Amino acid sequence: MIDFIKAQFGMDKLIYNDVVDFFLTPKKESTSLEFKSNNGEKKIPDRIYQTICAMLNSEGGLIVWGAPTEKTNNEGEKECFGDLTPFSAKMRKEDLMRSVSDRIIPIPNNIEVCEVSDNDNRRFVYLFQIQKSEYSPHQTDNRYFMRLDTETRIAPHHFVEALFRKIRYPDLKGYLEFMNISFLDKDYQYVLIQFKVVIKNNSPLQNEEYPEFIISSNSGSPLEVDEPWPLKEKTFGMPFPTVHKPLEILYYGKRIETVFKIGLHANDLNVLRNNNTNLKIFLRFGGRYSPLKYSFYSIDLSFFVTIHYDYYQSYPIPKERIESLENKLIADSTFDMEIISNWNSVSSD
């Protein structure tokens, strides 16, 4: 999600004087920024519903309601600066959101209303932060709208048709939650890292069927939670160890957690150390309708070399020793191929 407030104002939380200072210099609207002055309305005017629809149907954006009245400069361009046009009475954010939900079809999600008031709670400005909708096109008063340059316009037929025909897919999120590291003998010959694989569906209206994931590591042996370690047969140094796991149907908001572990032998650790590289874990996941994604983790295991650990005890892995890239589309990156290439050079030693 894009933080349009931070992008425009340069800060996460606003106070009234931040908005005042913002308009000390002339500001121009854009496809993602719209200014609406307060003309004494006691409810949201039609032009704001239209702009919300347009931003939902386009790339999202920010509406500042209570902004200064627009002026035209010498070049004929509209600018917004000077005194705000605040509200003297507070409006409940719940009422504003209910009004938006009643007037826009289908009901939009990912809209945030931010209220900014002065110290005396006598002047109020409202900001609508709108994310691009996964369920566009949206309409109000039986009309569709779009953003074009700095304006909200009625959307032409071909634009609406394209939105109706766009490809939609469930938004899966997948990541690892590291639990602990254990040392299974006095000589540190056998090490075990436990973690959870978490897969969840963030799409309110789309279930995912037959999702699955694959865990790979550049060293050690990925194991399910009930598999023994050390293994009975010698498997040290095998290239591209993996665990493949099909899942059940994922409904919206459902979170599946599965505990896994990676068993490492001293020989595996020596290979990593000799190649001056970290333990790397690669989670690939997707489903019948969703595109393939990956989450990647690089863990510096050198920290336990200089510290005494009791065997058969579990210890947390320091967060500062873990680097990650999460929920990246493989279709948008060749990063996974670079990782596999690097793994091959390590595992073949």
Side-chain angles (χ1 to χ4, degrees):
M1 295 176 62
I2 301 175
D3 191 336
F4 292 101
I5 292 177
K6 186 174 183 179
Q8 296 295 337
F9 290 87
M11 56 193 73
D12 296 313
K13 295 184 179 180
L14 298 178
I15 61 174
Y16 190 82
N17 285 338
D18 294 329
V19 185
V20 172
D21 293 343
F22 182 77
F23 289 105
L24 290 178
T25 56
K27 297 293 188 297
K28 296 180 181 180
E29 294 179 333
S30 68
T31 55
S32 61
L33 181 62
E34 180 89 358
F35 305 126
K36 300 295 185 186
S37 59
N38 167 28
N39 295 328
E41 301 100 339
K42 295 184 179 180
K43 61 181 182 179
I44 300 176
D46 289 345
R47 64 184 187 277
I48 287 186
Y49 293 121
Q50 294 169 4
T51 301
I52 290 175
C53 267
M55 288 181 172
L56 287 167
N57 293 336
S58 302
E59 297 299 320
L62 180 68
I63 302 172
V64 181
W65 189 22
T69 303
E70 280 189 324
K71 305 173 182 63
T72 302
N73 62 21
N74 295 333
E75 287 76 31
E77 299 173 324
K78 290 184 178 181
E79 295 179 333
C80 199
F81 66 94
D83 296 333
L84 301 178
T85 58
F87 296 84
S88 58
K90 179 184 179 73
M91 290 182 281
R92 296 198 333 148
K93 290 194 289 185
E94 295 83 358
D95 293 338
L96 294 175
M97 286 302 304
R98 187 180 301 111
S99 180
V100 169
S101 298
D102 290 343
R103 288 287 301 271
I104 296 178
I105 301 173
I107 296 175
N109 58 357
N110 291 336
I111 295 180
E112 178 185 1
V113 178
C114 176
E115 176 188 276
V116 183
S117 61
D118 63 2
N119 293 332
D120 299 326
N121 283 327
R122 298 176 60 184
R123 294 176 293 178
F124 302 87
V125 173
Y126 293 90
L127 291 81
F128 294 83
Q129 183 166 231
I130 300 117
Q131 302 296 331
K132 179 181 179 180
S133 176
E134 297 179 0
Y135 306 102
S136 58
H138 295 266
Q139 60 173 296
T140 182
D141 294 333
N142 298 315
R143 291 182 296 175
Y144 297 97
F145 294 87
M146 62 181 289
R147 292 291 286 177
L148 185 62
D149 295 329
T150 63
E151 297 182 355
T152 294
R153 297 187 181 183
I154 296 176
H157 174 75
H158 67 84
F159 179 84
V160 177
E161 183 180 35
L163 289 177
F164 270 118
R165 297 177 64 179
K166 70 181 180 181
I167 298 175
R168 295 183 174 93
Y169 51 81
D171 180 21
L172 294 189
K173 301 295 183 185
Y175 53 91
L176 304 185
E177 292 182 352
F178 289 93
M179 300 167 64
N180 53 59
I181 183 170
S182 303
F183 304 90
L184 304 185
D185 66 326
K186 293 182 179 180
D187 299 323
Y188 303 111
Q189 291 293 305
Y190 297 102
V191 179
L192 196 64
I193 295 175
Q194 284 196 316
F195 56 90
K196 291 180 183 177
V197 175
V198 180
I199 306 290
K200 60 182 181 178
N201 184 1
N202 285 353
S203 301
L205 301 180
Q206 287 183 284
N207 298 333
E208 178 56 284
E209 299 178 10
Y210 312 116
E212 57 186 3
F213 64 83
I214 298 176
I215 305 168
S216 304
S217 65
N218 67 330
S219 188
S221 300
L223 307 165
E224 298 202 43
V225 67
D226 56 351
E227 290 188 80
W229 179 254
L231 299 174
K232 293 181 179 180
E233 297 181 3
K234 179 178 173 60
T235 59
F236 312 129
M238 288 182 61
F240 312 129
T242 62
V243 172
H244 172 257
K245 190 77 172 178
L247 302 172
E248 55 191 290
I249 292 177
L250 278 181
Y251 304 97
Y252 168 59
K254 187 168 185 179
R255 168 185 169 119
I256 292 180
E257 298 181 0
T258 310
V259 176
F260 286 89
K261 55 193 180 184
I262 289 184
L264 295 157
H265 185 266
N267 293 345
D268 300 317
L269 299 176
N270 287 335
V271 170
L272 294 175
R273 190 180 300 112
N274 293 338
N275 284 274
N276 195 28
T277 189
N278 294 339
L279 174 67
K280 297 174 183 178
I281 305 176
F282 190 40
L283 172 68
R284 279 172 284 185
F285 59 96
R288 181 173 181 177
Y289 303 114
S290 55
L292 191 62
K293 293 183 179 181
Y294 69 84
S295 291
F296 169 74
Y297 301 85
S298 178
I299 307 172
D300 179 7
L301 294 178
S302 63
F303 69 92
F304 70 82
V305 175
T306 58
I307 303 175
H308 173 72
Y309 288 93
D310 294 329
Y311 65 97
Y312 288 111
Q313 297 295 317
S314 298
Y315 301 90
I317 300 176
K319 293 183 179 180
E320 63 270 16
R321 298 286 181 167
I322 304 173
E323 296 181 358
S324 63
L325 286 173
E326 295 181 326
N327 296 300
K328 303 296 183 180
L329 280 170
I330 286 183
D332 292 342
S333 174
T334 59
F335 184 64
D336 60 311
M337 299 307 297
E338 296 172 5
I339 293 172
I340 291 174
S341 176
N342 291 335
W343 286 357
N344 189 42
S345 63
V346 172
S347 300
S348 60
D349 289 339

